[in-house]
Amino acid sequence: MVSFTIQNVLTAVSYDYATVDVQIVDGAIAAIAPNLQVIGTAIDGKNKLLLPGFFNAHTHSSEMWQRGIMSMFPLELWLAELYDFASLDPEQIYLGALGTAVETLLSGGTSVVDHLVLIPGLELETIAIATRAYREVGIRVFIAPLIQDESLSAGIPSGESAKTHQPYFRSTAATLEILEEAVRQFHRPDEGVNILVAPTGFQLCTDALFAGCTELSDRYNLCRHSHLLETRAQQKLAQEKYSCTAVEHLKRIGFLNDRTTLAHCVWLNDADIAILAETQSTVVHNPLSNLRLGSGIAPILKYRQAGVNVTFGCDGASSNDSQDLLEAIKIGSILHNVTDSDYQHWITPRQAVEMASLGGAKGLNLADKLGSLTVGKQADLVLYDLTNLSLLPRTDPIGLLVLGRPTNVVNSAWVNGKQIIADNKVITINVDDLRQELFNRSQWETKRKSETVAQIEAHYRTVMGL
């Protein structure tokens, strides 16, 4: 494996910065100190900031094909419209994963959790295609096959009407068999490819599916991932289904632990927050999709004060319309300045960076290997160009990175010591070819409301009192 030394690079220490050399040997950080002997290739770090790679801790790569076109709907109607689009083909899965990886890397992320939508009947092929794309780019990937065993209509509260739902097209047992086979075929942590158990959420999953995922997680030492209480409608649905909160129920059935990451977590009460702290579960904050879909503002400051680990995600590109991780980190930090008047609770730029890096690593049970510039940890690193106009004038580099509008600032990036970006360009794939393919396989269009979406909308407005 290649070894190299980054010389005279700026790093964050306590409340200050230090100029040091960083030695990388066999994919790991070997030493951090001034004036080190050069091992391997010498890399000029002058006027650059070195940080651990961030985690895009929740996204859906296949949604790239609907970004910019989705209606201004709340989640439940947005999902109905998303389902109304023509199903994806394998080439779209491949290009979507490539695009998600590239945009994540160019905004400071070296790891991505892809809550991957599966093509019905081609589930394992979908995972194989996405895995191939991520391997080609070289980003560290956590593929979380999105699974459910209830139909879409089951995700909306019934209200006073008794509703029946069409059975899901695939049985719970068959879904779990596919997931276990995916683990056998693709789970290769040492090669940077990880499989997670990832029921989409309590609103579309039975307890049997959660139980099966928990059993697989325990047997294969897999992390767990799910959406949780993204909307007020889901809060109402949990009371209908369980006569308690969704968090209480997930605790009862044993899904919550220190290897569980939960996307959104907007509609939790104080008792729910205490449960997340007790079980050491991680919240993945997706501020942009929560705003885009009108879901609400997750009480992130309360989570942090209660000792809950929090990290950031972009969410899928059709509910965010971007995969700019730095944008998600900025909005996810300063958004909460309006939710708590005590400014001492507000998230500082350095805290945001730690949430995006070490927070992501903790949620995936990798805090001992990733998430900080620490000797012995794997070299998932990002080098930022401090001479870039958007990071000037020279004030506080991390403050500019988080609070500014940085563009084209990632000079270099490495995953497990392998260089993926050099001189602000992805070097593992031809990005010009990717752009051309995305252009050629799409067309300008608008989306019209279908009869199915209109029917769901009518019921949604009734049960939500609109």
Side-chain angles (χ1 to χ4, degrees):
M1 190 173 290
V2 176
S3 298
F4 57 95
T5 304
I6 306 173
Q7 296 183 291
N8 301 312
V9 70
L10 201 66
T11 59
V13 291
S14 300
Y15 300 99
D16 203 352
Y17 294 92
T19 299
V20 297
D21 297 344
V22 180
Q23 290 177 347
I24 309 300
V25 178
D26 294 337
I29 301 171
I32 304 173
N35 304 314
L36 290 174
Q37 176 186 353
V38 173
I39 295 179
T41 304
I43 294 174
D44 185 7
K46 186 178 180 181
N47 297 323
K48 296 180 179 68
L49 172 70
L50 185 67
L51 292 177
F54 300 148
F55 286 73
N56 185 354
H58 176 71
T59 190
H60 309 279
S61 63
S62 62
E63 287 184 16
M64 176 167 288
W65 296 96
Q66 287 84 37
R67 67 179 180 181
I69 193 175
M70 299 295 292
S71 299
M72 299 300 284
F73 275 155
L75 175 75
E76 286 73 21
L77 304 183
W78 173 91
L79 268 177
E81 185 175 89
L82 186 67
Y83 274 53
D84 213 33
F85 276 93
S87 59
L88 299 166
D89 63 42
E91 185 65 13
Q92 287 176 306
I93 295 292
Y94 173 71
L95 294 171
L98 286 180
T100 297
V102 168
E103 288 192 86
T104 296
L105 281 163
L106 290 174
S107 56
T110 53
S111 293
V112 60
V113 177
D114 188 354
H115 208 174
L116 182 66
V117 177
L118 306 177
I119 299 174
L122 296 173
E123 292 87 355
L124 290 171
E125 290 87 344
T126 304
I127 298 169
I129 290 163
T131 298
R132 175 166 64 90
Y134 286 121
R135 280 183 178 274
E136 288 178 9
V137 176
I139 198 169
R140 192 180 298 274
V141 65
F142 300 81
I143 292 181
L146 189 151
I147 54 175
Q148 65 191 76
D149 59 353
E150 293 191 293
S151 60
L152 183 62
S153 60
I156 299 178
S158 297
E160 297 179 0
S161 62
K163 291 183 69 67
T164 58
H165 309 291
Q166 292 291 325
Y168 195 62
F169 75 93
R170 187 177 58 229
S171 72
T172 303
T175 296
L176 291 169
E177 286 174 7
I178 290 169
L179 183 56
E180 184 167 14
E181 185 57 31
V183 174
R184 292 194 189 106
Q185 290 189 29
F186 307 111
H187 187 57
R188 302 289 185 272
D190 291 345
E191 300 172 17
V193 178
N194 306 263
I195 299 295
L196 278 57
V197 298
T200 186
F202 78 89
Q203 67 278 9
L204 295 174
C205 299
T206 64
D207 283 357
L209 186 59
F210 273 105
C213 287
T214 300
E215 192 278 328
L216 287 172
S217 168
D218 290 342
R219 179 147 45 101
Y220 292 102
N221 193 30
L222 307 173
C223 289
R224 309 168 185 182
H225 189 67
S226 188
H227 298 97
L228 179 62
L229 290 171
E230 187 172 352
T231 65
R232 188 163 62 93
Q234 290 176 6
Q235 183 188 50
K236 292 168 68 74
L237 179 64
Q239 288 295 328
E240 280 188 3
K241 290 182 72 169
Y242 311 126
S243 299
C244 66
T245 72
V247 176
E248 289 176 297
H249 187 73
L250 291 181
K251 181 188 177 185
R252 287 175 189 169
I253 64 176
F255 189 72
L256 304 179
N257 70 7
D258 61 355
R259 289 178 287 137
T260 304
T261 53
L262 302 162
H264 304 295
C265 297
V266 177
W267 292 88
L268 277 65
N269 61 34
D270 289 346
D272 294 335
I273 295 171
I275 289 171
L276 294 190
E278 173 196 341
T279 58
Q280 299 180 60
S281 302
T282 289
V283 170
V284 183
H285 187 24
N286 300 273
L288 288 155
S289 63
N290 292 161
L291 292 170
R292 164 81 151 86
L293 302 175
S295 300
I297 299 175
I300 297 304
L301 301 186
K302 280 189 173 184
Y303 294 142
R304 286 172 50 79
Q305 291 169 57
V308 176
N309 183 46
V310 181
T311 190
F312 297 101
C314 288
D315 207 354
S318 63
S319 63
N320 172 339
D321 306 280
S322 167
Q323 290 295 289
D324 187 332
L325 191 50
L326 286 170
E327 180 185 45
I329 293 167
K330 174 179 178 175
I331 299 299
S333 301
I334 64 175
L335 175 64
H336 306 284
N337 295 3
V338 302
T339 66
D340 188 335
S341 60
D342 188 347
Y343 55 88
Q344 292 186 340
H345 297 154
W346 296 355
I347 298 169
T348 68
R350 286 186 180 234
Q351 288 171 338
V353 164
E354 184 175 19
M355 291 164 66
S357 51
L358 189 58
K362 284 179 179 177
L364 293 161
N365 201 31
L366 289 170
D368 60 333
K369 296 180 179 178
L370 296 170
S372 64
L373 296 183
T374 304
V375 172
K377 288 195 175 185
Q378 295 174 11
D380 286 20
L381 307 172
V382 178
L383 199 59
Y384 296 92
D385 180 6
L386 298 180
T387 68
N388 181 284
L389 183 60
S390 61
L391 294 182
L392 290 172
R394 289 190 291 172
T395 55
D396 180 350
I398 289 178
L400 284 165
L401 188 69
V402 173
L403 298 176
R405 183 62 181 92
T407 56
N408 301 317
V409 294
V410 174
N411 172 270
S412 303
W414 298 264
V415 175
N416 201 28
K418 178 184 177 182
Q419 189 160 19
I420 309 299
I421 295 178
D423 297 323
N424 195 239
K425 293 183 175 59
V426 178
I427 60 177
T428 47
I429 66 166
N430 190 318
V431 176
D432 288 336
D433 287 349
L434 171 61
R435 281 199 294 261
Q436 193 63 52
E437 282 295 315
L438 288 169
F439 184 85
N440 291 343
R441 289 183 60 85
S442 55
Q443 60 184 4
W444 313 122
E445 58 180 314
T446 56
K447 182 68 177 172
R448 300 181 186 277
K449 189 184 299 182
S450 71
E451 183 177 342
T452 301
V453 173
Q455 290 172 350
I456 293 174
E457 182 177 13
H459 173 68
Y460 174 87
R461 292 186 65 83
T462 299
V463 298
M464 298 306 294
L466 299 173

